[in-house]
Structure formats: C-alpha cells, structure tokens
C-alpha cells in the first residue's frame, strides 16, 4: 500500500477521485497505489454506475460496466493478494482487479429494488471479506440474516439467522436490516451492524453472539443499542478494538473483550460509512461532508467538504 507522509498528501489522493461520492465510501486502494471505485452518472434521471481503476495521478486506467442494469453502487472488497475485487449490489460479482474483467456472478440474496426506488443517501449493500480471502459475507434474505459465501465461486456455504427478537413482525423487521459487516483480524469473529443501531459480535467457531451497548456525552443510562441511528461503518483496528459509525452523529471505539465503549467522537451530520485510508487514517463519510480521523489516536484530524452528490473536489473546512 502506498504510504503518505502528510494529511495534505492524503487529501490530494481523495481529491483525485472525480466520480460519484459513493467511490469514497466503497472504494479500495490497491498495492500499487491505484484506486478502484465507482463512477456514477444519471441516464434519463436513473443512476448508472461503472467501476473505474484510477492511478495516483488521477488517470483512469480501466472502466468496467456492470453486466446488468445496476442502479446502486455497492460495497467493494479487495482480496489479500490484490488480484480479485468483489462487489455487492443487485448481485454479487467477482472481478479481476487489474483488468476489471468479470470472473463470476452470484444471484442476490434479496430481490433487487426497482431503479430509483431507494431513498437518497441509502447505504449500499454491506460486504466483508475474511482475512484469509476465502470467504465473503453479505446480507441475507431474512431480517438480520447474513450469508457466508465461497470467494472462488460465490456459492452459499452458510446462513446465520438473527437470534432475536423471538417474534419478527413487519413492524420490527426493518430495524434488523444488516447495514454493515466486518471480520476481526483473526477471522474468528464477525461484527454485524443493523439499521436500528445494533451491533452484534458473532463467534464463527461457537455460534455465540454478544451485543454491544454504550452511551456518549454523560448520558446517565446506557443505551440498549450500540448507536441511536443506522450503523454505516465497522472497522477493526485490533483483535479486540472495533470502530463503528452511524447517522446519530457519533463514531465509537469499542473494547470488544469487555463489550464496552472506550471513546466516543462527535461527527456533525452523521456518517454513511467508514473508509480505510493509508497511514492509519479513516474517512467518516457523510452525505455532504466528511471527517478525516486518526484511527490509532482516535481523534479528528480535519473536516472535509461540503461536496455535492457529484463529487469534484474536497476542501479542508477546519483542522482539529
């Protein structure tokens, strides 16, 4: 991965992305320092997205259109060897990371929504890759369900149903929607975020689950959920340290062994996701702005934006 010696160089990397803002929330940095993300545009008032590989100097190296009418840019995951890129949207795809040629397609777990039916700012379908590169996890067909798939073919290997509530009804099913996924560095534990703000930790060896709950800002009573809004980002920074973000204007760092929130940062406007950047940086991406974070020290470095739906450049509003 390319190293960057200053915040300014990091901002330059971000500024080179001339496509849709979704490229920031779902893009991947390659070993060569290139960036792979989405380029989206409106065609007859309907979003149309394609993958692009962009050099560190901003030159588009290759573009690949989706094999079917895809109306939403989905999450991306890059294999540990840097050779294969995976995307989750209306279907699950595997691509050659260098040529962006399609390797295989797996059917979606849920029926695709009609073009234009998703509300603005809707988070893309979640996707996570195991540290050994052998397994993908995506949202399943049932409320709160996730599916484990083989990376060589996309074949379904296992479904993990939500353990509760005991009675899932149309009134509460929406809150169980899986919005974020992340393997821990050992590949033994899976963090699962939901639309209602819940985060549960699933032990892939024993099948046991624990829920994270926390509070911020001196609230006297602990929350029943990890966040008070839809969870958009989950990033492990150690075997027992998890960082989460949500649209409740907070980013939290958790001690997963104790199940307790360690630190809480305020991020005005909330976030749709967390993007891992070089040099231990995270980008907490909102709808019209973003916040650059130092993951190691867990502090805000700079607030970026504002930017419109079609991202052209980012500017520093304030340094913290």
């Amino acid at each position: 991965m390319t190293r960057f010696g200053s915040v300014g160089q990091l901002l330059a990397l971000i500024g080179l992305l001339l496509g849709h803002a979704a490229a920031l929330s779902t893009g991947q940095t390659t070993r060569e320092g290139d960036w792979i993300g989405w380029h989206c545009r409106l065609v007859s008032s309907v979003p149309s997205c394609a993958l692009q590989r962009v050099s560190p100097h901003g030159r588009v190296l290759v573009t690949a259109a989706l094999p079917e009418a895809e109306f939403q840019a989905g999450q991306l995951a890059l294999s540990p060897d840097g050779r294969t890129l995976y995307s989750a949207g209306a279907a699950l795809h595997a691509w050659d990371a260098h040529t962006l040629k399609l390797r295989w397609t797996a059917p979606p777990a849920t029926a695709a929504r009609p073009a234009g039916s998703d509300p603005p700012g809707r988070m893309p379908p979640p996707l996570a890759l195991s540290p050994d590169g052998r397994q993908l996890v995506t949202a399943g067909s049932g409320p709160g369900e996730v599916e484990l798939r083989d990376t060589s073919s996309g074949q379904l290997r296992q479904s993990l149903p939500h353990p509760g509530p005991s009675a899932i009804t149309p009134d509460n099913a929406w809150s169980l929607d899986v919005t974020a996924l992340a393997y821990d560095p050992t590949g033994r534990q899976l963090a699962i975020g939901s639309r209602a703000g819940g985060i549960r930790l699933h032990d892939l060896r024993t099948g046991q689950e624990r829920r994270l709950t926390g509070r911020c800002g001196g609230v006297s009573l602990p929350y029943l959920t990890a966040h008070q809004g839809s969870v958009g980002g989950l990033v492990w920074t150690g075997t027992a340290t998890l960082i989460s973000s949500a649209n409740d204007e907070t980013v939290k760092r958790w001690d997963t062994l104790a199940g307790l929130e360690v630190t809480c940062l305020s991020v005005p406007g909330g976030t749709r996701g967390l993007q891992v950047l070089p040099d231990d940086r995270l980008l907490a991406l909102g709808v019209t702005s973003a916040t650059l974070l130092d993951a190691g020290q867990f502090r805000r470095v700079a607030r970026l934006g504002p930017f419109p739906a079609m991202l052209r450049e980012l500017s520093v509003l304030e340094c913290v």
Side-chain angles (χ1 to χ4, degrees), residues 128-129 131 181-192 199-202 210 212 233-244 254-257 274 276 280 282 295:
L129 180 65
L181 294 162
Y183 281 92
D184 79 343
T186 69
R188 299 173 181 173
Q189 193 167 213
L190 186 66
I192 306 169
I199 298 176
R200 66 189 207 262
L201 303 179
H202 184 97
R210 296 182 294 125
L212 298 180
L234 293 171
V235 173
W236 292 86
T237 58
T239 56
T241 305
L242 177 70
I243 295 178
S244 64
W254 301 87
D255 177 346
T256 59
L257 291 180
L274 291 173
V276 178
D280 208 22
L282 291 175

